[in-house]
Short mmCIF file of all heavy atoms in Angstrom, two decimals:
data_model
loop_
_atom_site.label_atom_id
_atom_site.label_comp_id
_atom_site.label_asym_id
_atom_site.label_seq_id
_atom_site.Cartn_x
_atom_site.Cartn_y
_atom_site.Cartn_z
N MET A 1176 11.47 24.48 1.70
CA MET A 1176 11.22 23.90 3.00
C MET A 1176 9.80 23.41 3.09
O MET A 1176 9.56 22.28 3.49
CB MET A 1176 11.52 24.99 4.05
CG MET A 1176 11.40 24.49 5.48
SD MET A 1176 12.77 23.35 5.79
CE MET A 1176 12.74 23.32 7.55
N TYR A 1177 8.87 24.25 2.70
CA TYR A 1177 7.45 23.83 2.79
C TYR A 1177 7.20 22.59 1.93
O TYR A 1177 6.53 21.66 2.33
CB TYR A 1177 6.54 24.97 2.33
CG TYR A 1177 5.12 24.55 2.13
CD1 TYR A 1177 4.29 24.32 3.18
CD2 TYR A 1177 4.64 24.27 0.82
CE1 TYR A 1177 2.99 23.84 2.99
CE2 TYR A 1177 3.33 23.82 0.62
CZ TYR A 1177 2.54 23.65 1.72
OH TYR A 1177 1.21 23.20 1.52
N LEU A 1178 7.73 22.58 0.72
CA LEU A 1178 7.51 21.44 -0.19
C LEU A 1178 8.14 20.17 0.37
O LEU A 1178 7.49 19.11 0.26
CB LEU A 1178 8.09 21.77 -1.60
CG LEU A 1178 7.34 22.82 -2.34
CD1 LEU A 1178 8.00 23.09 -3.69
CD2 LEU A 1178 5.88 22.45 -2.58
N GLU A 1179 9.29 20.27 0.98
CA GLU A 1179 9.91 19.08 1.55
C GLU A 1179 9.06 18.50 2.68
O GLU A 1179 8.82 17.32 2.74
CB GLU A 1179 11.29 19.43 2.12
CG GLU A 1179 12.32 19.69 1.03
CD GLU A 1179 13.61 20.19 1.63
OE1 GLU A 1179 13.73 20.38 2.88
OE2 GLU A 1179 14.54 20.37 0.78
N GLU A 1180 8.51 19.43 3.51
CA GLU A 1180 7.63 18.95 4.60
C GLU A 1180 6.36 18.34 4.01
O GLU A 1180 5.86 17.33 4.53
CB GLU A 1180 7.27 20.15 5.50
CG GLU A 1180 8.48 20.62 6.33
CD GLU A 1180 8.16 21.87 7.11
OE1 GLU A 1180 6.99 22.37 7.09
OE2 GLU A 1180 9.08 22.38 7.85
N ARG A 1181 5.80 18.94 2.96
CA ARG A 1181 4.61 18.44 2.34
C ARG A 1181 4.82 17.06 1.76
O ARG A 1181 4.01 16.15 1.94
CB ARG A 1181 4.12 19.44 1.26
CG ARG A 1181 2.85 19.07 0.55
CD ARG A 1181 1.65 19.24 1.51
NE ARG A 1181 0.46 18.99 0.73
CZ ARG A 1181 -0.57 18.29 1.22
NH1 ARG A 1181 -0.58 17.91 2.49
NH2 ARG A 1181 -1.62 18.03 0.47
N VAL A 1182 5.93 16.89 1.08
CA VAL A 1182 6.28 15.61 0.51
C VAL A 1182 6.44 14.54 1.60
O VAL A 1182 5.89 13.43 1.44
CB VAL A 1182 7.64 15.68 -0.37
CG1 VAL A 1182 8.10 14.25 -0.67
CG2 VAL A 1182 7.38 16.50 -1.60
N GLU A 1183 7.12 14.83 2.67
CA GLU A 1183 7.24 13.90 3.77
C GLU A 1183 5.91 13.55 4.38
O GLU A 1183 5.64 12.38 4.65
CB GLU A 1183 8.18 14.50 4.87
CG GLU A 1183 9.60 14.57 4.51
CD GLU A 1183 10.51 15.28 5.55
OE1 GLU A 1183 10.00 15.51 6.63
OE2 GLU A 1183 11.64 15.55 5.24
N HIS A 1184 5.04 14.57 4.54
CA HIS A 1184 3.66 14.33 5.04
C HIS A 1184 2.94 13.39 4.13
O HIS A 1184 2.25 12.47 4.58
CB HIS A 1184 3.00 15.62 5.27
CG HIS A 1184 1.60 15.54 5.71
ND1 HIS A 1184 1.28 15.20 7.05
CD2 HIS A 1184 0.41 15.70 5.10
CE1 HIS A 1184 -0.02 15.14 7.17
NE2 HIS A 1184 -0.60 15.46 6.04
N LEU A 1185 2.99 13.65 2.81
CA LEU A 1185 2.28 12.86 1.84
C LEU A 1185 2.80 11.43 1.84
O LEU A 1185 2.03 10.45 1.69
CB LEU A 1185 2.33 13.50 0.43
CG LEU A 1185 1.59 14.82 0.30
CD1 LEU A 1185 1.87 15.38 -1.06
CD2 LEU A 1185 0.12 14.63 0.52
N GLU A 1186 4.14 11.31 1.89
CA GLU A 1186 4.67 9.96 1.92
C GLU A 1186 4.25 9.15 3.14
O GLU A 1186 3.93 7.95 3.04
CB GLU A 1186 6.22 10.04 1.86
CG GLU A 1186 6.72 10.45 0.49
CD GLU A 1186 8.23 10.64 0.45
OE1 GLU A 1186 8.89 10.86 1.52
OE2 GLU A 1186 8.79 10.69 -0.70
N LYS A 1187 4.18 9.82 4.27
CA LYS A 1187 3.73 9.17 5.52
C LYS A 1187 2.30 8.69 5.34
O LYS A 1187 1.92 7.61 5.71
CB LYS A 1187 3.87 10.15 6.70
CG LYS A 1187 3.44 9.52 8.01
CD LYS A 1187 3.62 10.47 9.17
CE LYS A 1187 3.11 9.84 10.43
NZ LYS A 1187 3.15 10.81 11.53
N GLN A 1188 1.45 9.57 4.81
CA GLN A 1188 0.04 9.22 4.61
C GLN A 1188 -0.10 8.13 3.56
O GLN A 1188 -0.95 7.24 3.76
CB GLN A 1188 -0.78 10.48 4.17
CG GLN A 1188 -0.99 11.43 5.28
CD GLN A 1188 -1.87 12.57 4.93
OE1 GLN A 1188 -1.83 13.14 3.85
NE2 GLN A 1188 -2.73 12.91 5.84
N ILE A 1189 0.73 8.09 2.57
CA ILE A 1189 0.70 7.01 1.59
C ILE A 1189 1.05 5.72 2.26
O ILE A 1189 0.35 4.68 2.02
CB ILE A 1189 1.64 7.30 0.42
CG1 ILE A 1189 1.04 8.44 -0.45
CG2 ILE A 1189 1.85 6.05 -0.43
CD1 ILE A 1189 2.06 9.00 -1.47
N GLU A 1190 2.02 5.68 3.08
CA GLU A 1190 2.40 4.47 3.84
C GLU A 1190 1.28 3.99 4.70
O GLU A 1190 0.96 2.80 4.78
CB GLU A 1190 3.66 4.65 4.60
CG GLU A 1190 4.91 4.81 3.76
CD GLU A 1190 5.15 3.58 2.84
OE1 GLU A 1190 4.99 2.45 3.27
OE2 GLU A 1190 5.48 3.80 1.67
N GLU A 1191 0.63 4.94 5.38
CA GLU A 1191 -0.49 4.60 6.23
C GLU A 1191 -1.66 4.00 5.41
O GLU A 1191 -2.24 3.00 5.83
CB GLU A 1191 -1.02 5.83 6.98
CG GLU A 1191 -0.09 6.31 8.05
CD GLU A 1191 -0.54 7.64 8.63
OE1 GLU A 1191 -1.56 8.24 8.18
OE2 GLU A 1191 0.21 8.17 9.51
N LEU A 1192 -1.86 4.55 4.22
CA LEU A 1192 -2.91 4.04 3.37
C LEU A 1192 -2.55 2.67 2.82
O LEU A 1192 -3.44 1.80 2.63
CB LEU A 1192 -3.19 5.00 2.22
CG LEU A 1192 -3.89 6.27 2.68
CD1 LEU A 1192 -3.91 7.31 1.57
CD2 LEU A 1192 -5.30 6.02 3.19
N LYS A 1193 -1.29 2.42 2.61
CA LYS A 1193 -0.87 1.12 2.11
C LYS A 1193 -1.18 0.01 3.24
O LYS A 1193 -1.63 -1.06 2.93
CB LYS A 1193 0.61 1.07 1.76
CG LYS A 1193 0.94 1.75 0.44
CD LYS A 1193 2.46 1.69 0.19
CE LYS A 1193 2.77 2.33 -1.10
NZ LYS A 1193 4.23 2.32 -1.33
N GLU A 1194 -0.91 0.42 4.46
CA GLU A 1194 -1.28 -0.46 5.61
C GLU A 1194 -2.79 -0.70 5.71
O GLU A 1194 -3.20 -1.83 5.91
CB GLU A 1194 -0.67 0.12 6.92
CG GLU A 1194 0.77 0.04 7.01
CD GLU A 1194 1.33 -1.39 6.99
OE1 GLU A 1194 0.72 -2.28 7.66
OE2 GLU A 1194 2.30 -1.64 6.27
N GLN A 1195 -3.53 0.38 5.52
CA GLN A 1195 -4.98 0.21 5.55
C GLN A 1195 -5.46 -0.71 4.46
O GLN A 1195 -6.37 -1.53 4.65
CB GLN A 1195 -5.68 1.54 5.41
CG GLN A 1195 -5.56 2.44 6.61
CD GLN A 1195 -6.18 3.80 6.46
OE1 GLN A 1195 -6.68 4.14 5.38
NE2 GLN A 1195 -6.14 4.58 7.48
N LYS A 1196 -4.83 -0.61 3.25
CA LYS A 1196 -5.24 -1.40 2.15
C LYS A 1196 -5.00 -2.87 2.44
O LYS A 1196 -5.80 -3.77 2.09
CB LYS A 1196 -4.50 -1.03 0.88
CG LYS A 1196 -4.94 -1.73 -0.33
CD LYS A 1196 -4.30 -1.20 -1.59
CE LYS A 1196 -4.79 -1.97 -2.78
NZ LYS A 1196 -4.17 -1.50 -4.06
N LYS A 1197 -3.88 -3.15 3.13
CA LYS A 1197 -3.60 -4.51 3.55
C LYS A 1197 -4.71 -5.10 4.39
O LYS A 1197 -5.00 -6.25 4.32
CB LYS A 1197 -2.26 -4.64 4.29
CG LYS A 1197 -1.05 -4.42 3.42
CD LYS A 1197 0.18 -4.50 4.25
CE LYS A 1197 1.42 -4.17 3.41
NZ LYS A 1197 2.66 -4.14 4.21
N ASN A 1198 -5.35 -4.21 5.13
CA ASN A 1198 -6.42 -4.58 6.04
C ASN A 1198 -7.79 -4.39 5.37
O ASN A 1198 -8.84 -4.55 5.97
CB ASN A 1198 -6.44 -3.81 7.34
CG ASN A 1198 -5.16 -4.05 8.10
OD1 ASN A 1198 -4.65 -5.13 8.14
ND2 ASN A 1198 -4.71 -3.02 8.82
N GLU A 1199 -7.77 -4.07 4.04
CA GLU A 1199 -8.96 -3.75 3.24
C GLU A 1199 -9.81 -2.67 3.87
O GLU A 1199 -11.00 -2.67 3.82
CB GLU A 1199 -9.78 -5.03 3.02
CG GLU A 1199 -9.07 -6.07 2.24
CD GLU A 1199 -9.93 -7.29 1.85
OE1 GLU A 1199 -11.02 -7.40 2.41
OE2 GLU A 1199 -9.49 -8.07 1.06
N GLN A 1200 -9.07 -1.66 4.43
CA GLN A 1200 -9.73 -0.48 4.92
C GLN A 1200 -9.15 0.73 4.20
O GLN A 1200 -8.52 1.54 4.79
CB GLN A 1200 -9.48 -0.35 6.43
CG GLN A 1200 -10.09 -1.45 7.25
CD GLN A 1200 -9.70 -1.33 8.71
OE1 GLN A 1200 -8.94 -0.51 9.08
NE2 GLN A 1200 -10.25 -2.20 9.53
N TYR A 1201 -9.30 0.74 2.88
CA TYR A 1201 -8.70 1.82 2.13
C TYR A 1201 -9.72 2.78 1.58
O TYR A 1201 -10.88 2.50 1.55
CB TYR A 1201 -7.90 1.20 0.95
CG TYR A 1201 -8.67 0.30 0.03
CD1 TYR A 1201 -9.24 0.76 -1.06
CD2 TYR A 1201 -8.74 -1.10 0.34
CE1 TYR A 1201 -9.97 -0.08 -1.90
CE2 TYR A 1201 -9.43 -1.94 -0.46
CZ TYR A 1201 -10.05 -1.42 -1.60
OH TYR A 1201 -10.75 -2.23 -2.44
N LEU A 1202 -9.21 3.95 1.14
CA LEU A 1202 -10.08 5.04 0.65
C LEU A 1202 -10.17 4.92 -0.84
O LEU A 1202 -9.29 4.47 -1.54
CB LEU A 1202 -9.47 6.35 1.05
CG LEU A 1202 -9.24 6.57 2.51
CD1 LEU A 1202 -8.53 7.93 2.69
CD2 LEU A 1202 -10.53 6.60 3.28
N SER A 1203 -11.29 5.41 -1.36
CA SER A 1203 -11.46 5.59 -2.81
C SER A 1203 -10.54 6.74 -3.27
O SER A 1203 -10.05 7.53 -2.45
CB SER A 1203 -12.87 5.92 -3.14
OG SER A 1203 -13.17 7.26 -2.70
N PRO A 1204 -10.23 6.80 -4.58
CA PRO A 1204 -9.38 7.92 -5.04
C PRO A 1204 -9.93 9.29 -4.63
O PRO A 1204 -9.15 10.17 -4.25
CB PRO A 1204 -9.42 7.75 -6.54
CG PRO A 1204 -9.60 6.27 -6.71
CD PRO A 1204 -10.53 5.86 -5.64
N ALA A 1205 -11.26 9.45 -4.66
CA ALA A 1205 -11.83 10.74 -4.30
C ALA A 1205 -11.65 11.01 -2.77
O ALA A 1205 -11.31 12.13 -2.39
CB ALA A 1205 -13.34 10.77 -4.61
N GLN A 1206 -11.82 9.98 -1.96
CA GLN A 1206 -11.59 10.15 -0.53
C GLN A 1206 -10.16 10.42 -0.21
O GLN A 1206 -9.81 11.26 0.60
CB GLN A 1206 -12.03 8.91 0.24
CG GLN A 1206 -13.55 8.66 0.22
CD GLN A 1206 -13.91 7.28 0.73
OE1 GLN A 1206 -13.20 6.30 0.50
NE2 GLN A 1206 -15.01 7.21 1.47
N PHE A 1207 -9.23 9.72 -0.92
CA PHE A 1207 -7.82 9.91 -0.72
C PHE A 1207 -7.42 11.33 -1.07
O PHE A 1207 -6.69 12.00 -0.38
CB PHE A 1207 -7.05 8.88 -1.55
CG PHE A 1207 -5.58 8.95 -1.43
CD1 PHE A 1207 -4.95 8.34 -0.36
CD2 PHE A 1207 -4.79 9.59 -2.34
CE1 PHE A 1207 -3.57 8.39 -0.18
CE2 PHE A 1207 -3.41 9.67 -2.23
CZ PHE A 1207 -2.79 9.04 -1.14
N ALA A 1208 -7.95 11.81 -2.24
CA ALA A 1208 -7.67 13.19 -2.65
C ALA A 1208 -8.13 14.18 -1.64
O ALA A 1208 -7.44 15.17 -1.31
CB ALA A 1208 -8.30 13.43 -4.03
N GLU A 1209 -9.32 13.99 -1.10
CA GLU A 1209 -9.84 14.91 -0.09
C GLU A 1209 -8.96 14.90 1.17
O GLU A 1209 -8.61 15.90 1.69
CB GLU A 1209 -11.27 14.50 0.28
CG GLU A 1209 -11.91 15.44 1.24
CD GLU A 1209 -13.38 15.11 1.57
OE1 GLU A 1209 -14.03 14.42 0.74
OE2 GLU A 1209 -13.83 15.53 2.63
N LYS A 1210 -8.58 13.73 1.58
CA LYS A 1210 -7.71 13.60 2.81
C LYS A 1210 -6.39 14.25 2.59
O LYS A 1210 -5.82 14.88 3.47
CB LYS A 1210 -7.59 12.13 3.17
CG LYS A 1210 -6.73 11.91 4.40
CD LYS A 1210 -6.66 10.46 4.86
CE LYS A 1210 -5.82 10.34 6.04
NZ LYS A 1210 -5.78 9.05 6.64
N MET A 1211 -5.84 14.10 1.34
CA MET A 1211 -4.49 14.65 1.07
C MET A 1211 -4.54 16.07 0.63
O MET A 1211 -3.51 16.66 0.32
CB MET A 1211 -3.87 13.80 -0.05
CG MET A 1211 -3.79 12.30 0.32
SD MET A 1211 -2.76 12.00 1.74
CE MET A 1211 -1.21 11.84 0.98
N SER A 1212 -5.71 16.65 0.54
CA SER A 1212 -5.88 18.01 0.07
C SER A 1212 -5.25 18.21 -1.33
O SER A 1212 -4.52 19.20 -1.57
CB SER A 1212 -5.28 19.00 1.05
OG SER A 1212 -5.87 18.85 2.30
N CYS A 1213 -5.57 17.35 -2.24
CA CYS A 1213 -5.13 17.51 -3.61
C CYS A 1213 -6.21 17.06 -4.52
O CYS A 1213 -7.31 16.66 -4.10
CB CYS A 1213 -3.87 16.65 -3.84
SG CYS A 1213 -4.10 14.88 -3.65
N SER A 1214 -6.00 17.16 -5.84
CA SER A 1214 -7.03 16.87 -6.81
C SER A 1214 -7.11 15.34 -7.05
O SER A 1214 -6.15 14.59 -6.80
CB SER A 1214 -6.73 17.53 -8.15
OG SER A 1214 -5.63 16.97 -8.75
N ARG A 1215 -8.31 14.94 -7.48
CA ARG A 1215 -8.48 13.51 -7.77
C ARG A 1215 -7.59 13.09 -8.94
O ARG A 1215 -7.06 11.95 -8.95
CB ARG A 1215 -9.93 13.24 -8.09
CG ARG A 1215 -10.24 11.77 -8.28
CD ARG A 1215 -11.69 11.52 -8.46
NE ARG A 1215 -11.92 10.12 -8.77
CZ ARG A 1215 -13.12 9.59 -8.84
NH1 ARG A 1215 -14.18 10.27 -8.65
NH2 ARG A 1215 -13.24 8.31 -9.10
N SER A 1216 -7.39 13.97 -9.91
CA SER A 1216 -6.56 13.65 -11.04
C SER A 1216 -5.12 13.43 -10.59
O SER A 1216 -4.40 12.57 -11.14
CB SER A 1216 -6.58 14.73 -12.11
OG SER A 1216 -6.15 15.96 -11.65
N MET A 1217 -4.65 14.17 -9.61
CA MET A 1217 -3.31 13.97 -9.05
C MET A 1217 -3.20 12.59 -8.46
O MET A 1217 -2.19 11.88 -8.67
CB MET A 1217 -2.97 15.03 -7.99
CG MET A 1217 -1.64 15.00 -7.48
SD MET A 1217 -1.45 16.37 -6.33
CE MET A 1217 0.29 16.15 -5.86
N VAL A 1218 -4.22 12.15 -7.74
CA VAL A 1218 -4.20 10.80 -7.14
C VAL A 1218 -4.19 9.78 -8.21
O VAL A 1218 -3.49 8.77 -8.22
CB VAL A 1218 -5.42 10.64 -6.20
CG1 VAL A 1218 -5.55 9.21 -5.75
CG2 VAL A 1218 -5.35 11.56 -5.05
N THR A 1219 -5.04 9.94 -9.21
CA THR A 1219 -5.11 8.99 -10.39
C THR A 1219 -3.78 8.87 -11.06
O THR A 1219 -3.31 7.77 -11.37
CB THR A 1219 -6.20 9.46 -11.35
OG1 THR A 1219 -7.47 9.48 -10.61
CG2 THR A 1219 -6.35 8.42 -12.48
N ASN A 1220 -3.15 10.00 -11.35
CA ASN A 1220 -1.84 9.95 -12.03
C ASN A 1220 -0.77 9.32 -11.16
O ASN A 1220 -0.02 8.52 -11.66
CB ASN A 1220 -1.40 11.38 -12.40
CG ASN A 1220 -2.24 11.98 -13.49
OD1 ASN A 1220 -2.80 11.25 -14.30
ND2 ASN A 1220 -2.25 13.30 -13.58
N TRP A 1221 -0.78 9.58 -9.86
CA TRP A 1221 0.14 8.95 -8.96
C TRP A 1221 -0.03 7.43 -8.95
O TRP A 1221 0.88 6.67 -9.03
CB TRP A 1221 -0.02 9.48 -7.51
CG TRP A 1221 0.71 8.74 -6.53
CD1 TRP A 1221 2.09 8.76 -6.20
CD2 TRP A 1221 0.23 7.69 -5.66
NE1 TRP A 1221 2.38 7.88 -5.28
CE2 TRP A 1221 1.27 7.18 -4.94
CE3 TRP A 1221 -1.07 7.14 -5.45
CZ2 TRP A 1221 1.13 6.16 -4.02
CZ3 TRP A 1221 -1.19 6.10 -4.58
CH2 TRP A 1221 -0.11 5.65 -3.83
N TYR A 1222 -1.33 7.03 -8.88
CA TYR A 1222 -1.67 5.61 -8.90
C TYR A 1222 -1.15 4.89 -10.14
O TYR A 1222 -0.53 3.84 -10.09
CB TYR A 1222 -3.18 5.40 -8.71
CG TYR A 1222 -3.59 3.93 -8.76
CD1 TYR A 1222 -3.36 3.11 -7.72
CD2 TYR A 1222 -4.18 3.40 -9.91
CE1 TYR A 1222 -3.78 1.80 -7.70
CE2 TYR A 1222 -4.55 2.10 -9.95
CZ TYR A 1222 -4.33 1.30 -8.87
OH TYR A 1222 -4.69 -0.04 -8.88
N LYS A 1223 -1.39 5.54 -11.29
CA LYS A 1223 -0.93 4.94 -12.54
C LYS A 1223 0.59 4.87 -12.52
O LYS A 1223 1.13 3.87 -13.03
CB LYS A 1223 -1.43 5.83 -13.71
CG LYS A 1223 -2.89 5.70 -14.00
CD LYS A 1223 -3.31 6.62 -15.09
CE LYS A 1223 -4.82 6.61 -15.35
NZ LYS A 1223 -5.23 7.55 -16.35
N THR A 1224 1.26 5.86 -12.10
CA THR A 1224 2.72 5.87 -12.03
C THR A 1224 3.21 4.72 -11.14
O THR A 1224 4.13 3.97 -11.51
CB THR A 1224 3.24 7.21 -11.50
OG1 THR A 1224 2.78 8.24 -12.34
CG2 THR A 1224 4.76 7.21 -11.44
N GLU A 1225 2.61 4.59 -9.96
CA GLU A 1225 3.05 3.54 -9.04
C GLU A 1225 2.76 2.16 -9.64
O GLU A 1225 3.51 1.25 -9.46
CB GLU A 1225 2.31 3.71 -7.66
CG GLU A 1225 2.74 4.86 -6.83
CD GLU A 1225 4.23 4.70 -6.47
OE1 GLU A 1225 4.62 3.64 -5.91
OE2 GLU A 1225 5.04 5.66 -6.69
N ARG A 1226 1.62 2.04 -10.24
CA ARG A 1226 1.30 0.74 -10.82
C ARG A 1226 2.26 0.35 -11.90
O ARG A 1226 2.66 -0.83 -12.03
CB ARG A 1226 -0.15 0.86 -11.39
CG ARG A 1226 -0.93 -0.38 -11.18
CD ARG A 1226 -2.35 -0.17 -11.57
NE ARG A 1226 -2.74 -1.32 -12.36
CZ ARG A 1226 -3.80 -1.37 -13.08
NH1 ARG A 1226 -4.60 -0.38 -13.16
NH2 ARG A 1226 -4.04 -2.50 -13.74
N SER A 1227 2.63 1.30 -12.76
CA SER A 1227 3.57 0.99 -13.81
C SER A 1227 4.98 0.66 -13.28
O SER A 1227 5.62 -0.19 -13.87
CB SER A 1227 3.66 2.16 -14.81
OG SER A 1227 4.26 3.29 -14.21
N LYS A 1228 5.32 1.22 -12.16
CA LYS A 1228 6.64 0.87 -11.52
C LYS A 1228 6.68 -0.55 -11.10
O LYS A 1228 7.65 -1.23 -11.19
CB LYS A 1228 6.86 1.75 -10.30
CG LYS A 1228 7.27 3.15 -10.56
CD LYS A 1228 7.46 3.87 -9.23
CE LYS A 1228 7.70 5.35 -9.40
NZ LYS A 1228 7.79 5.99 -8.04
N HIS A 1229 5.52 -1.04 -10.63
CA HIS A 1229 5.47 -2.40 -10.09
C HIS A 1229 5.16 -3.51 -11.10
O HIS A 1229 5.23 -4.66 -10.82
CB HIS A 1229 4.43 -2.47 -8.93
CG HIS A 1229 4.78 -1.62 -7.79
ND1 HIS A 1229 5.81 -1.85 -6.94
CD2 HIS A 1229 4.28 -0.44 -7.39
CE1 HIS A 1229 5.92 -0.92 -6.05
NE2 HIS A 1229 4.98 -0.03 -6.27
N SER A 1230 4.78 -3.05 -12.32
CA SER A 1230 4.47 -4.03 -13.38
C SER A 1230 5.66 -4.44 -14.20
O SER A 1230 5.60 -5.29 -15.01
CB SER A 1230 3.39 -3.50 -14.28
OG SER A 1230 3.85 -2.38 -14.97
N ASP A 1231 6.79 -3.79 -13.93
CA ASP A 1231 8.04 -4.09 -14.66
C ASP A 1231 8.64 -5.38 -14.22
O ASP A 1231 8.68 -5.76 -13.13
CB ASP A 1231 9.06 -2.97 -14.58
CG ASP A 1231 8.54 -1.73 -15.30
OD1 ASP A 1231 7.73 -1.88 -16.19
OD2 ASP A 1231 9.04 -0.60 -14.94
#
């Protein structure tokens, strides 16, 4: 239950950040990690994964 709620929360924050990026008001990986309460390496790995999905 907790993990499902956490995933939903993170997905919502990711969508908000995508909107901010469209407006060029986005956070650095370190700022994003701090806001999401996770490690910077987790953010970096997520970014790499997302980027590889869109490069196909």
Side-chain angles (χ1 to χ4, degrees):
M1176 186 69 162
Y1177 168 77
L1178 291 178
E1179 291 173 356
E1180 290 175 1
R1181 182 72 175 139
V1182 167
E1183 288 175 11
H1184 177 73
L1185 293 174
E1186 287 174 342
K1187 182 179 177 185
Q1188 287 186 318
I1189 289 168
E1190 289 304 316
E1191 290 172 0
L1192 290 169
K1193 285 181 181 179
E1194 287 299 316
Q1195 287 177 358
K1196 186 175 180 181
K1197 288 179 185 176
N1198 298 326
E1199 296 187 348
Q1200 297 174 355
Y1201 55 93
L1202 303 174
S1203 70
Q1206 292 170 321
F1207 183 80
E1209 183 178 338
K1210 180 175 182 175
M1211 304 298 271
S1212 301
C1213 63
S1214 68
R1215 185 174 176 174
S1216 62
M1217 185 178 182
V1218 172
T1219 303
N1220 290 336
W1221 169 79
Y1222 177 76
K1223 288 178 183 175
T1224 302
E1225 287 298 308
R1226 219 171 134 194
S1227 67
K1228 286 181 188 177
H1229 297 288
S1230 65
D1231 293 338

